[in-house]
């Protein structure tokens, strides 16, 4: 394990055997010295970092003093949302509509639409997120928002 030198206070850098206050210490001292003896010359074995919390991901790490303990600290950012599938199978679309309680509403809207819409719904193998018939049916006939459509495609993509 690498030891970290605190110099100046609050700044930690990996120690590679460089002289400390003009004294050369052997690299093996980490196995022979206690944590208190190492701290007396500003060397530390950082504690492991806390796990990343739900919804965050680690994008880097640095050493810092946290509540008096020298430890690795994760640099965090939000986990990006999953990409919205641009195509789902007709089966996935129907299962997602079932789960959302929208299947009958969609079936009724398709049934009262023209033949092109009915053929699209009955014979498509895949349903494209940007297909004009889907967009017209979802937004104009059913009054869905872009986010609601995305949510259905995300749900369908998981099936």
């Amino acid at each position: 394990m690498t030891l970290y030198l605190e110099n100046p206070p609050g700044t930690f850098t990996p120690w590679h055997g460089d002289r400390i206050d003009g004294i050369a210490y052997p690299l093996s001292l980490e196995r022979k010295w206690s944590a208190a003896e190492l701290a007396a010359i500003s060397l530390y074995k950082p504690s492991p970092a806390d796990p990343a919390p739900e919804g965050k991901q680690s994008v880097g790490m640095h050493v810092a003093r946290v509540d008096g303990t020298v430890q690795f600290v994760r640099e965090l950012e939000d986990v990006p949302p999953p990409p919205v599938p641009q195509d789902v199978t007709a089966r996935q679309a129907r299962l997602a509509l079932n789960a959302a309680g929208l299947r009958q509403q969609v079936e009724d809207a398709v049934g009262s639409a023209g033949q092109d819409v009915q053929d699209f719904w009955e014979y498509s193998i895949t349903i494209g997120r940007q297909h004009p018939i889907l967009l017209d049916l979802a937004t104009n006939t059913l009054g869905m928002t872009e986010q609601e459509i995305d949510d259905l495609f995300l749900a369908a993509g998981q099936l």
Side-chain angles (χ1 to χ4, degrees):
M1 172 183 249
T2 301
L3 293 174
Y4 283 77
L5 177 65
E6 183 179 25
N7 186 20
T11 302
F12 296 88
T13 57
W15 180 70
H16 302 289
D18 305 332
R19 291 178 177 268
I20 302 172
D21 295 329
I23 300 171
Y25 294 96
L27 288 172
S28 63
L29 69 95
E30 80 175 87
R31 291 188 301 269
K32 299 176 183 175
W33 288 24
S34 69
E37 291 170 319
L38 291 169
I41 60 170
S42 300
L43 286 178
Y44 299 90
K45 291 182 204 178
S47 300
D50 294 333
E54 186 72 29
K56 299 285 185 178
Q57 65 184 6
S58 183
V59 294
M61 207 170 300
H62 64 276
V63 176
R65 190 179 301 277
V66 178
D67 297 328
T69 302
V70 176
Q71 69 181 62
F72 287 102
V73 176
R74 294 181 190 281
E75 296 161 13
L76 301 171
E77 67 179 27
D78 292 335
V79 173
V84 176
Q86 293 304 298
D87 293 289
V88 296
T89 67
R91 177 185 165 278
Q92 288 173 306
R94 285 170 172 80
L95 290 173
L97 290 168
N98 289 343
L102 297 172
R103 174 77 179 267
Q104 191 58 53
Q105 188 179 354
V106 170
E107 296 282 351
D108 292 345
V110 168
S112 63
Q115 192 63 50
D116 287 345
V117 173
Q118 292 174 19
D119 288 346
F120 169 78
W121 182 246
E122 289 190 32
Y123 299 111
S124 293
I125 295 171
T126 60
I127 308 290
R129 169 64 181 85
Q130 300 302 325
H131 194 283
I133 290 177
L134 171 102
L135 294 175
D136 181 56
L137 185 66
T139 57
N140 296 329
T141 305
L142 300 173
M144 295 178 71
T145 65
E146 291 291 321
Q147 186 61 56
E148 289 170 328
I149 299 168
D150 284 348
D151 290 346
L152 275 172
F153 269 75
L154 283 165
Q158 299 298 311
L159 301 172

